[in-house]
Structures are given as structure tokens and as C-alpha cells.
Amino acid sequence: MKALVLLELEVPGDTAVDYQYPATGNPPQSSGTSLSAHADVTVTEASLRALGVGRALAGTGSLAAVVFGDADAGGGLPGVLAEHGVGDVYLVGSAVVAGYAPQAWARVIAGLIEETGATAVLAAATDRGNEVMAHLGAITGLPMAANCLSVSAPAPADGGYVITRQRWAGLLEEEAVLDAPVALLTVAAEAIPPTEADAPSGSGAPPEAAEVHRVVPDISGMAPSPGAVCAPAIPDGDLVVRAVESPVRDGGGGASLATARVVVGGGRGVGGADGFAPLEELASLLGGVVGVSRVVTSEGWRPHRQQVGQTGTKITPELYLACGISGAIQHIAGCSGAKHIIAINTDPGAPILAHADYAVIGDLHEIIPALVAAIRARSAAA
Amino acid sequence: MEILVCVKRVPTVGGRITLTGDGLGVDTRMSGFTISPHEECAVEEAVRITERLGGTVSVLTLGPESAIEQLRGALALGAGRAVLLETDGREYGPIATATAIASEIGSRAAAEPGYDLALFGNEASDTGDYQVGIRVAHLLGWPVVTGIKSLDVSADGVVARREYRGVEEAYSLPLPAVVTVKEGLNLPRYPSLPGRLRAKRAPVERVEIKDVSLPEGLRKTRLRVPEGGTHQATVLGEGVAAVPELVRVLDELGILS
């Protein structure tokens, strides 16, 4: 069994890798993100999770990674990847596909399946991971299983890979059999990869660094690159859809919601667009942000980027303080990653109480101002 | 501008999901059906585009006869035409679904002015496969972009935007194209009474699906509701009187430090 994992990278100081596009005209031979210039470039947590699941699936077989971004050696990446059991890393270093171009990325991975004989390809179930893997499924004609929680190596008795995957954004789990010559899987944020101790140890000492293979896609108008191990041909049509990146204009409210330590949630009980000031005050006092339920955004009280839920943002704070939120399961899908949930609700029978650790029964319009005052008094006394 | 919006009939779920006795489906005896919030935004966006640029919004679903209810819902919001790709009630996977939809889009292009734009939700809220729109695009040879939160459409093409890890991504696509969208793209309108009355009487084109092979490599064996949501919160008290206890708990959880 040979597993290939698509990795997404994080460069310190950047929220996403800062790709440079060549201006229209002659694409340069090499530009784009220089990973070697960023010694402390890291693999995202979501990709490490996919790597963990890939490692367990590969078992005593081999584990390879594919990384997009122009690099000679990828800085310290090969060393880091070796610690995660990666034997080979394929660095895709052409300027034209270094920028995010999902269809071209998938075409390159399809080439790598041929090149390496991989029988499973995994990626994190991020927007990009799901998108690239769906393209790969379309290109290869293979099924693709999104948001997998676990996968076991195929056994003849099972008729294929036995997988568990999320439906309804994790509110339901599906057990399924994936019968395909190459398994295409994305790994959910809730997946728990087997620990290192469970990972099979190969023979001999592990290598210090993953072996680096340069991949230079064959794109019309670009000179062939010597020294590349693999040169999958990219049809022009694959490069039609390419991201042009720029900073988010409103400061990225969605991103801060996803990573906030404290989220103060407001639902229908807030009563209207002008009822959020006390929640904002409490959130800022606790170093957090405000999140809202779907009814709040459908009513136009708050912008959609503040929505917590299945069709909004999934949050993972230390504390989620759910105020005036009944707890429809689509909302629970977005907040179940919180370490602690406290509900403030007038209805002791509200479904949110079945998901909360603590609850205060009462009107948020009275309780929140009193809570703000109590916290202020406490810090003034300290 | 000829726009196709593809929607999916899914169970309406509120407080909890209940499974059928065989563990293979969601029990819908006590609930209704709807479409995904992403798809509601796709319908709204298509209606807005044609209000500005002219043309027709066609809404399509693949499903049993009962899915006509969801088509009528979209007609009430301003879609002008409805197409049902009628199944026998079996669950179609993403490959079979995409094949049937692409075939319908292709046959319309051959006979009439074809579609300029096909909109989908980013993912269906029930199965969450994240791939039907992309597979349709590949079958048609159209460009595709997914997860879109802002869309500018003109006769020349579309500029589609989304946010990823704090960075805005903009994509320029020529037409025809497939775009999958997410809730937040717009604020969908409520159906008007005249809209609902018109939708009730509107004809629905029913198309028989040919040559679809099921299953397709991914076979569901069982569904289960994950654990959690079964305990009951510790009630700290009622009203303002509970605030001191709430402050104590926040402190204990390390939130106030």
C-alpha cells in the first residue's frame, strides 16, 4: 500500500502562502513562493491530521507527500516530514501552478498516481482539499469520499476500504465501503489519527529527511526543466481557473471567528439588530468575538461571516457562551468543537442545554449587562 | 443570460436527527423537506442576475416525483422553468448525479439556446459529497470554481470571490461555467404570494434518466448518530442571581485570567 498525501503549508506571518503570479506574457522559469526562504514554514494542522490517517493506512507500505510551491528543498520541510513517516516528498515547483489552480493541481496529482503507483490519495477536508480531490475524482473517474473520520486498509472480505465519513456536517456518521483501484479521501477536522505508538515501524532507523523529488509540470509555452522526476502535462484548460489573492477587505471576520479563544454567541433571543451591543462588550472584555446563529443572519441582523454552524463557520474556542440560541442541530454542527459551552436561555428545555456544560436560565438582556458589570468590578478590585 | 440552478431535496432537521429502523436513512415521517441554504442563495443569485441582465432561470433537481415540491419552491422565488430528472427513489451518488445533470445540460445546448451558467450549492447538506458541480463541469468541459461568496456576472464572464484562511481569492472565468456557492452570497427573499400562486400552476418538465449505473464505488452500509448531546447542562441558577456563580465558573475555566 502506497499512500500519497496533499499537504497545505503555513508560512509564519502569513495566513496563507504568499504566491506571486507571473505577469501575463512569458512566465518565468521559477518564481512564486520560495519555501527555502522560509526556514520555519510548517504544515497545517489539518494536513498533519491527513498525514496521520495516511500513515496508518499505508501501514508497512510507503507514505509520500505532495507540496505545491516553488522550492529547491523546501527549507526544513523534508526533515519535518520524515518525523511524520514520509519517505518521499514531491515538490511541485512551477511558477504557473504554484498559485492555487485547483484543476491543474489535480492534474499533477493524477500524474503522480501514475508515477508512484499510489493506491490512496488523501488531503485535509478543507475548502481546497475537497476541491482538488473532487477534480481528481473527475479527472480519474474514481469515486471520492469527503470528510472521512477513519479508513482501514482494504480486505477482500470487506470488498474494499471500510471508511467512516461525516454526513450533515458531522451530525451523522456514515459507514461505507469504498471499492476503487485508488482510494481518494479527504480527512475531516474531527478525525483522530492513530497515535505514533500505533504506527508500524519499518525496518532499520528512520531516515532523517524525506527524499525530495522535483515535479515540473509540462505547460505549453514553458521550456522543459532538466532534473524533474515527473512532468505531467497540463492542458491549457486546467489553468483557466486560478486564484488571484489579496488581503480580505473587512479584516477577515470569518477567520478570527474560527480561531477565537472565546466566542459569545447570539441567537433569536437577542431580539433584533440593535440588541448586540452588550454581547460585543462582553466578547471584547473576554478577548473574544461575537458569533451568531443562522436566524440572525437570515433576518439580516448581522453579516453572514459571523454565523456559526453547518453553513457558516466551525468554531473551536475554549468557551462558547450561547445566548438566546435554542440549538438547532445545524448550529451544534458549528459549535460542537468548543471545549466548554455555557448557555444563557429563558427556556430550560432548549436543545442547546443538551450540548452545554453549564446553563443560566433567564433573559440575556438582564444577565449579560450584569455579567459585564461583575467582571469589570472583579478586575477593578484585583 | 440562461442560468441553471441545481437543487437537492433534503430532510428538514431541527432539534435532532432520527434514523429509520434499518439505519440507512433519516426518518422523515415527522419532518418535511427543503433544500440546502447554499442552494437557496444560488436560486436568489440567479434571479437577481436575470433581473439585471434578462434571460431565464431554470431550476433542476434529480430525485423522486415528490422533489417537485422543491422545484415549486424555487419557482415561487422567481425561477421561470423547472426540470425534474426523475429517479425511482434510489439514492444517486455524486458520479451518477453529475452524469445525469451533464447529459441534460448537453441535450439542452443541442436543441435550444444552451445555459450560460450553472449554479450549485457548494455541498448538499445531507450527504456532503463536495463534488457534483465539479464532476458536471468536467463532463461538459466547462471551467468551475467552488465555495463562492461573491459573484459578478456579465455577458463576458464571471468574477467569483471567496475567502480562504484570511485571504481573499478572486477567480475570473469565461462562460459557460459552473459556479458552486455558499450561504452568505446574498440574503434570499421570501416568496411572494403571487409567486407562490404562479409556482403552483407552473408546468414541470419531467425527464427520464437513461443509462445510469448504480452503485458507483462508494457503498453506504450504515448511518449512526454520533454520541453527544445526550447529557444535560448543570444549571447555575436563574436570572441575574446566577451571575456570581457564572463568574466563578468562568474563572475556574481560566477564561478570566
Side-chain angles (χ1 to χ4, degrees):
Chain A
M1 159 75 62
K2 181 157 192 165
L4 178 66
V5 182
L6 168 65
L7 301 181
E8 296 180 62
L9 301 181
E10 216 154 10
V11 178
D14 270 350
T15 37
V17 173
D18 178 25
Y19 295 114
Q20 298 293 317
Y21 271 92
T24 48
N26 288 335
Q29 271 301 94
S30 176
S31 80
T33 304
S34 175
L35 300 180
S36 46
H38 297 280
D40 41 2
V41 65
T42 53
V43 179
T44 64
E45 219 173 286
S47 287
L48 287 177
R49 199 175 296 117
L51 206 50
V53 172
R55 184 182 195 173
L57 183 58
T60 52
S62 63
L63 181 63
V66 53
V67 175
F68 288 79
D70 190 50
D72 292 327
L77 202 56
V80 171
L81 293 180
E83 289 169 24
H84 291 277
V86 175
D88 299 273
V89 55
Y90 295 86
L91 287 173
V92 189
S94 156
V96 178
V97 287
Y100 182 61
Q103 195 163 324
W105 283 30
R107 190 78 60 181
V108 170
I109 298 171
L112 284 173
I113 293 174
E114 298 280 316
E115 175 77 21
T116 64
T119 46
V121 183
L122 300 90
T126 58
D127 287 349
R128 282 191 176 180
N130 280 329
E131 182 173 52
V132 171
M133 294 298 281
H135 276 287
L136 184 57
I139 287 169
T140 57
L142 293 165
M144 190 277 273
N147 282 296
C148 296
L149 293 166
S150 68
V151 53
S152 66
D158 299 324
Y161 297 83
V162 175
I163 64 165
T164 307
R165 60 178 294 269
Q166 294 180 325
R167 285 189 175 209
W168 291 96
L171 297 165
L172 275 189
E173 291 174 5
E174 171 187 1
E175 287 174 14
V177 174
L178 177 63
D179 180 14
V182 182
L184 307 184
L185 312 159
T186 67
V187 176
E190 290 76 11
I192 301 166
T195 56
E196 298 269 327
D198 299 336
S201 53
S203 55
E208 277 180 17
E211 191 178 338
V212 177
H213 309 272
R214 290 179 61 218
V215 179
V216 181
D218 177 7
I219 293 164
S220 64
M222 288 184 71
S225 172
V229 294
C230 175
I234 309 291
D236 290 343
D238 287 358
L239 293 164
V240 168
V241 177
R242 302 199 309 189
V244 175
E245 298 183 0
S246 56
V248 174
R249 280 165 296 184
D250 61 13
S256 60
L257 183 59
T259 56
R261 184 174 158 269
V262 174
V263 176
V264 177
R268 188 189 294 278
V270 175
D274 52 4
F276 284 88
L279 277 74
E280 289 285 0
E281 193 181 1
L282 178 61
S284 101
L285 201 56
L286 299 176
V289 298
V290 166
V292 302
S293 68
R294 181 160 182 256
V295 66
V296 169
T297 57
S298 328
E299 290 293 333
W301 297 349
R302 300 295 282 194
H304 182 272
R305 64 185 159 75
Q306 290 190 327
Q307 185 184 313
V308 172
Q310 180 175 6
T311 51
T313 301
K314 282 198 171 194
I315 58 170
T316 53
E318 284 288 309
L319 172 69
Y320 181 52
L321 191 60
C323 309
I325 293 176
S326 64
I329 59 170
Q330 292 88 346
H331 187 73
I332 302 302
C335 69
S336 58
K339 198 165 171 192
H340 304 286
I341 298 178
I342 301 179
I344 298 178
N345 208 295
T346 51
D347 177 10
I352 188 80
L353 268 72
H355 301 272
D357 304 295
Y358 300 98
V360 175
I361 307 305
D363 185 352
L364 67 96
H365 297 96
E366 294 166 10
I367 293 165
I368 293 178
L371 178 59
V372 166
I375 294 171
R376 283 201 197 286
R378 188 176 177 276
S379 44
Chain B
M1 186 73 51
E2 294 298 308
I3 306 179
L4 178 70
V5 184
C6 297
V7 301
K8 181 179 184 185
R9 175 180 168 88
V10 296
T12 306
V13 291
R16 59 195 293 252
I17 293 184
T18 311
L19 297 179
T20 52
D22 63 3
L24 287 172
V26 173
D27 186 347
T28 54
R29 284 174 303 178
M30 304 300 277
S31 66
F33 288 86
T34 184
I35 61 174
S36 149
H38 297 327
E39 293 163 2
E40 288 174 16
C41 289
V43 172
E44 174 66 30
E45 194 72 10
V47 171
R48 289 186 193 182
I49 294 166
T50 54
E51 282 170 351
R52 199 161 44 80
L53 300 176
T56 318
V57 176
S58 301
V59 61
L60 176 151
T61 194
L62 179 146
E65 186 181 21
S66 51
I68 287 175
E69 179 192 352
Q70 278 61 50
L71 293 176
R72 295 212 188 281
L75 288 167
L77 293 172
R81 183 172 161 263
V83 181
L84 172 69
L85 301 183
E86 196 165 351
T87 68
D88 53 10
R90 283 181 298 171
E91 194 168 5
Y92 276 51
I95 295 176
T97 303
T99 304
I101 293 173
S103 155
E104 171 60 19
I105 293 174
S107 65
R108 181 159 175 90
E112 295 162 84
Y115 300 114
D116 301 301
L117 180 64
L119 298 180
F120 292 76
N122 186 59
E123 85 279 1
S125 47
D126 59 346
T127 49
D129 289 313
Y130 291 82
Q131 55 192 277
V132 172
I134 288 175
R135 288 189 187 272
V136 168
H138 277 262
L139 289 166
L140 296 168
W142 293 8
V144 55
V145 63
T146 68
I148 292 306
K149 287 276 198 81
S150 154
L151 194 56
D152 292 321
V153 180
S154 70
D156 302 328
V158 304
V159 176
R161 292 187 174 82
R162 68 181 188 190
E163 195 186 312
Y164 189 62
R165 289 163 60 195
V167 173
E168 186 192 82
E169 300 176 345
Y171 297 87
S172 298
L173 281 68
L175 296 173
V178 172
V179 176
T180 84
V181 305
K182 279 191 178 176
E183 189 184 39
L185 175 70
N186 53 46
L187 202 51
R189 70 194 72 186
Y190 289 101
S192 64
L193 184 60
R196 286 209 299 267
L197 293 173
R198 197 176 53 241
K200 227 172 170 176
R201 294 189 302 264
V204 171
E205 298 169 31
R206 294 165 76 149
V207 178
E208 193 191 332
I209 304 170
K210 299 181 201 87
D211 305 328
V212 169
S213 66
L214 301 169
E216 51 180 68
L218 183 62
R219 183 170 50 84
K220 171 177 68 181
T221 50
R222 195 168 76 100
L223 296 177
R224 64 164 178 258
V225 180
E227 287 171 29
T230 50
H231 70 292
Q232 199 62 19
T234 304
V235 175
L236 300 175
E238 287 191 22
V240 183
V243 167
E245 185 62 6
L246 181 54
V247 170
R248 191 193 61 75
V249 167
L250 291 178
D251 190 31
E252 198 177 276
L253 298 178
I255 301 300
L256 299 180
S257 49

